[in-house]
Amino acid sequence: MVYSSETSSLSSQHQSRLPEVLIIDGPGLAYHVYKAVQVSAVPGSSIISSPGYHDCGDRAIAFLDEMEKLGMRVEAIYFDGVLPSHKLETRLSRMQRHVDQLRKAVLSSVKDARLPDAPFLVPSVIEALLESNYAGLVRVVPAEADDYCALHARRLDGEGASRPTILTNDSDMFVLDCGKTTQIMLLASLSRKTTVAGFQYAVEAYCPGEIAHSAGLPDLKQAAYYMELDRNLTFDAAAAKIKRVAGNEPGNYASFSHKFATSVEDARNLSPAIIVCLQRTDPRIAEVAHQVLLPETRGGLPIINAFMPLLHEDATRFSVWKVGHDVRNLAYRIVVSQRSSKCSVREYVRRGADVGHRAQEVTADWTQEVSDVLAWLVTRMPQAPPRASFAQRWHYIGTVMALQFYNEYYTERATYARVLKVLTHGEPDDWLDVHIAAMVQAALYSIRMLQHLLNLHNARCGVSGDLARLHDLLDDMPGIAGLFDRSDADTVAMWKSIAETLVLSDETNEHSGSEDTNDSNDDTEDVRTMSNNPFSMLPR
């Protein structure tokens, strides 16, 4: 199908009738624009800075603007807020592939490495949308985004809307009940062409309801089942096979079909303030929140799963998520504290060459720890450069946390050149540069998790005392792009004296690093435990 901003130039046989409304799979949109920015990136760009989160956010908004210019109204943009428990193995398998890719990457030079996609892509696009005209359409939901896309389309179809359209790359959408006239447009097939009078898009679009009807089937589930069993089986052959079995379901079909049952948790008992807060929360953090607030999202089990973004790191070293561990544990304890039933948190990260989890103790009192964190931040923040922006001040905080951990675990000292490179978001020369930069990201994202879950705690029951003061202090923390994209203001002149001070501080403190081997499997994580409060290890 071809959709054009110059509709009069297309003949009737090539011009398809535009859908009235678009329902958008948010993660699919994020990765679509990411690939587009990658294609347009300057060859040889830094693996750390390209493509930038600012660029991806801007491209997402520009894309939606063009869809509306074509006459298609964007109705909703859905993002996963929690994934069902039956997809745990699939998710862990995907994480393992990511780890395998990282371990393969370190065999190459930094400049030649092929790294996984940007780790904070989806939340960065959400933030950009929340600052745009599409803010009211963003939905971080207590289920998979495709379930809500399907439910929304089915409702519109039932109300008589003309071909409600879901924009996605998720093939599961063909099997979900989206409504009889709903069409699926595949982002991967989308191509844009600039013309004299404007622009036009070509895209593959399918109507699962009509495909099933034309084949004499009630839906596409059983055909998908047979095609899953035999990847060489055509759709026509699968449809013929269904008719031969005459309604007798194969043995494992019920289990297969259950995976595609639309699962939408009832969030009506949540207050409007909480719902608004969740819409502004990163999906991975919202996943923790939804499991706390809606126990049915975790199958009623007393276990909350938390999945850390897999950062661009040296996968032969300790996981960078050791940095900020106690900050995240504090965040978990705060958000769980209002629940009557006890829960434990399983935090999934890279552990050596594999993916594993560590059980988080979330029952201990956190009052004194909040005061300690607040005191450390209040003391440290003014030590950033006088002309530093909010983003640069927080980058300084993350760097201090990362270097404190580095000095605790590594025998090789962080040189002035390395520290300066981290502070200025400089291009890495080797994998240790990459690893330290990822440690800074882990520190900052841990604080961001504390910020978001503290916002939720405030929406639920309010904050006071040091908790309120910490909430206010974290409120000026910038978004993903502000934290992790390089700024032209990050100059050597600004950070030179700070780098010297941090290196001097390292030289005057006792060095207790212990990682003499490269290929750490993180099994020592519970042996060398950091103090209860990571900030207490830092000089004031």
Side-chain angles (χ1 to χ4, degrees), residues 37 40 81 101 116 153 228 275 289 336 338 380 454 458-459 477 485:
V37 174
S40 60
Q101 185 177 355
E228 176 75 13
I275 292 175
V336 169
Q338 296 298 308
R380 270 294 187 176
L454 190 49
N458 183 45
M477 195 173 188
D485 277 357

Side-chain angles (χ1 to χ4, degrees), residues 35-55:
K35 299 302 182 185
V37 174
Q38 275 188 319
V39 169
S40 60
V42 177
S45 298
S46 166
I47 64 170
I48 297 299
S49 62
S50 179
Y53 292 115
H54 273 299
D55 294 339

Side-chain angles (χ1 to χ4, degrees), residues 9 15 83 119 157 164 196 302 342 358 430 444 467 484 506 509:
S9 69
Q15 179 64 49
L83 293 184
D157 177 67
V196 175
K342 292 183 179 180
R358 174 177 177 174
D430 57 29
L444 289 172
L467 198 60
F484 302 132
D506 172 29
N509 289 328

Side-chain angles (χ1 to χ4, degrees), residues 150-381:
L151 183 66
H152 196 142
R154 190 164 73 243
R155 176 176 59 80
L156 292 177
D157 177 67
E159 294 172 354
S162 174
R163 284 202 179 278
T165 299
I166 299 173
L167 201 54
T168 184
N169 268 335
D170 193 340
S171 59
D172 288 356
M173 203 68 71
F174 285 82
V175 185
L176 296 176
D177 182 4
C178 301
K180 294 180 180 180
T181 67
T182 297
Q183 66 178 0
I184 310 299
M185 287 170 54
L186 297 177
L187 281 159
S189 71
L190 202 63
S191 62
R192 184 186 187 279
K193 178 182 178 180
T194 302
T195 62
V196 175
F199 58 89
Q200 64 182 23
Y201 278 96
V203 63
E204 293 178 10
Y206 305 88
C207 180
E210 291 181 357
I211 294 172
H213 178 73
S214 65
L217 304 176
D219 55 49
L220 300 181
K221 284 191 182 71
Q222 198 165 343
Y225 171 75
Y226 286 125
M227 294 171 73
E228 176 75 13
L229 291 179
D230 182 356
R231 295 302 179 95
N232 295 319
L233 193 68
T234 65
F235 173 72
D236 289 341
K241 188 172 185 178
I242 294 170
K243 293 171 184 176
R244 285 199 303 272
V245 300
N248 295 320
E249 293 183 355
N252 295 325
Y253 174 69
S255 175
F256 173 84
S257 181
H258 175 70
K259 296 177 182 179
F260 298 100
T262 304
S263 175
V264 177
E265 302 300 342
D266 188 354
R268 287 177 295 182
N269 63 327
L270 300 180
S271 72
I274 290 176
I275 292 175
V276 169
C277 182
L278 289 170
Q279 300 311 309
R280 305 190 71 86
T281 302
D282 291 359
R284 289 180 187 269
I285 307 174
E287 183 164 31
V288 173
H290 281 131
Q291 291 174 85
V292 172
L293 298 169
L294 303 169
E296 56 271 25
T297 61
R298 48 185 160 90
L301 298 175
I303 298 170
I304 294 169
N305 291 320
F307 299 87
M308 295 301 97
L310 289 165
L311 305 184
H312 295 169
E313 58 176 324
D314 181 346
T316 65
R317 297 178 180 268
F318 281 126
S319 167
V320 295
W321 285 110
K322 281 176 169 284
V323 181
H325 162 261
D326 288 348
V327 178
R328 301 192 302 278
N329 184 267
L330 172 60
Y332 299 143
R333 279 181 283 151
I334 290 174
V335 76
V336 169
S337 64
Q338 296 298 308
R339 307 305 300 173
S340 57
S341 57
K342 292 183 179 180
C343 290
S344 63
V345 175
R346 288 182 179 176
E347 188 179 79
Y348 287 86
V349 298
R350 179 185 67 82
R351 291 174 69 90
D354 302 309
V355 175
H357 67 79
R358 174 177 177 174
Q360 304 284 319
E361 175 58 53
V362 293
T363 58
D365 179 71
W366 41 263
T367 308
Q368 182 57 49
E369 196 167 337
V370 165
S371 299
D372 292 342
V373 170
L374 176 66
W376 187 83
L377 286 173
V378 167
T379 302
R380 270 294 187 176
M381 198 70 76

